[in-house]
Amino acid sequence: IFLAYGIVGITQAAAGFFVYAVIMASYGWMPNRLLFIKAEWEDEYNNNLEDSWGQEWSYGQRMMLQQTCNGAYFLAIVQVQWADVIISKTRMLSIFQQGMKNNVLNFAIIFETVLAAAVIYTPYVPQFIGIYPLAPEWWIPA
């Protein structure tokens, strides 16, 4: 239980928060600027909230960025699960010694990836669950 909830869960959350922070920072919202602005961020009548670079953001733009970060968080969880399943498979031997000969496991990893891509990129599905489709470059930091 410690491995599942302690180490793996914390690692997944950290990966999600990392990619969230990377995307926010790349659009001008440095982590120190995001502290304590929840009320301003969620105020739909505030259409001139300044980011760290002085650029003004409307409510709609902020929500689109937040939904992009939510989608990247979801993708980061999927990607960390790839690592988790391989780590769990190879506790004693390295991946090069043991190999990836388990076809069910290989199919599951591919299926999970395809399913995540379908959820992120299928029309109307992302908006229904509160995410925004990701640019392909956001698959790398996730």
Side-chain angles (χ1 to χ4, degrees):
I1 289 181
F2 174 71
L3 177 66
Y5 293 107
I7 297 172
V8 173
I10 291 171
T11 304
Q12 287 182 356
F17 289 136
F18 172 76
V19 74
Y20 207 99
V22 166
I23 292 175
M24 284 290 196
S26 72
Y27 281 97
W29 294 96
M30 298 301 162
N32 62 342
R33 177 66 180 106
L34 291 171
L35 294 174
F36 311 112
I37 66 163
K38 183 176 192 257
E40 292 175 89
W41 183 271
E42 293 179 349
D43 182 6
E44 60 187 280
Y45 300 108
N46 185 353
N47 287 316
N48 58 355
L49 186 61
E50 278 192 16
D51 64 13
S52 301
W53 299 335
Q55 179 180 349
E56 292 182 347
W57 288 70
S58 69
Y59 176 76
Q61 292 170 324
R62 293 191 310 267
M63 292 302 105
M64 187 180 295
L65 178 60
Q66 182 176 332
Q67 290 175 346
T68 301
C69 291
N70 292 345
Y73 192 101
F74 166 70
L75 181 61
I77 298 297
V78 168
Q79 290 178 345
V80 171
Q81 286 178 350
W82 300 340
D84 290 340
V85 75
I86 292 170
I87 290 167
S88 297
K89 171 186 177 5
T90 59
R91 286 195 186 193
M92 298 298 178
L93 300 175
S94 78
I95 189 69
F96 300 110
Q97 292 172 320
Q98 186 165 355
M100 292 291 289
K101 297 176 183 153
N102 184 340
N103 291 330
V104 174
L105 179 66
N106 294 338
F107 174 78
I109 291 172
I110 292 168
F111 180 78
E112 179 184 31
T113 306
V114 170
L115 185 63
V119 166
I120 292 171
Y121 296 113
T122 301
Y124 305 111
V125 172
Q127 292 82 2
F128 181 71
I129 61 174
I131 64 174
Y132 194 78
L134 301 172
E137 63 265 18
W138 294 126
W139 282 68
I140 295 169

